[in-house]
Amino acid sequence: MTPEEQAEATRQVIIRMEEALGANSNDMGQHFHEDFRWMGNRGCGTKPGLDAFRRNWQLPLRAAFTERDYKTEKFICEGEWASCFGHIEATHSGTFMGIGPTGKRVTIPYMDFWKVTEGRIADNWVSVDFASVLAQLGRDVFDGQGWEHFDDGTLTPPSAEKEAT
């Protein structure tokens, strides 16, 4: 298999898995290696194995957000490695981080990095922007101190030069 063919085969594994997630599949074993690891950022947790992934990620996400549409914007694949960024558009239909269902449509931004072994996902490093989701639901986890306020001019950024004097 050429490097390009391997990269495309890796991408197809990820596409099939995302389609299964979007279709509420209960048979994710065909997409994940038996030694699968899912490592998420703060708020997401780490899932050692498919059972933990299903119990502590797939089903809670499904319960909190219905009518999910996965919108992967860009894939980058090289050999057995793939990465992407995108977002999920979903309806907040169940409790999420202590916030009861609002019925709001939200955007859940994400980045993923995968290693595919023997045609199945062995490792998945994930960064999901839960702070953005919470803001869409009315909770500012940064309590008004987010650095985007430096960009819009409502806060002045501290300067290391000023602190040194």
Side-chain angles (χ1 to χ4, degrees), residues 133-148:
V133 178
L134 288 165
Q136 293 170 68
L137 298 175
R139 183 180 296 162
D140 178 3
V141 299
F142 300 110
D143 195 28
Q145 300 300 307
W147 286 8
E148 64 274 2

Side-chain angles (χ1 to χ4, degrees), residues 67-164:
E67 301 168 328
R68 292 177 319 283
D69 190 12
Y70 291 76
K71 305 274 190 171
T72 298
E73 296 173 36
K74 188 68 172 176
F75 273 107
I76 302 169
C77 301
E78 183 176 323
E80 63 185 2
W81 287 94
S83 64
C84 81
F85 61 90
H87 63 277
I88 303 167
E89 294 174 2
T91 301
H92 178 223
S93 302
T95 300
F96 174 70
M97 303 271 175
I99 300 172
T102 63
K104 290 182 180 178
R105 286 295 284 176
V106 297
T107 299
I108 307 168
Y110 63 81
M111 291 186 289
D112 279 280
F113 298 85
W114 298 277
K115 181 179 182 184
V116 174
T117 303
E118 301 168 351
R120 293 187 295 163
I121 300 164
D123 286 324
N124 187 191
W125 287 268
V126 179
S127 182
V128 181
D129 190 351
F130 277 168
S132 172
V133 178
L134 288 165
Q136 293 170 68
L137 298 175
R139 183 180 296 162
D140 178 3
V141 299
F142 300 110
D143 195 28
Q145 300 300 307
W147 286 8
E148 64 274 2
H149 296 300
F150 299 159
D151 303 328
D152 67 18
T154 57
L155 289 179
T156 302
S159 170
E161 292 175 14
K162 290 180 184 177
E163 293 174 8

Side-chain angles (χ1 to χ4, degrees), residues 40-75:
N41 58 293
R42 179 88 176 164
C44 293
T46 299
K47 319 306 179 208
L50 183 55
D51 288 340
F53 170 79
R54 181 165 167 71
R55 181 179 59 252
N56 300 328
W57 179 259
Q58 183 186 15
L59 295 178
L61 185 71
R62 192 185 288 180
F65 299 102
T66 58
E67 301 168 328
R68 292 177 319 283
D69 190 12
Y70 291 76
K71 305 274 190 171
T72 298
E73 296 173 36
K74 188 68 172 176
F75 273 107

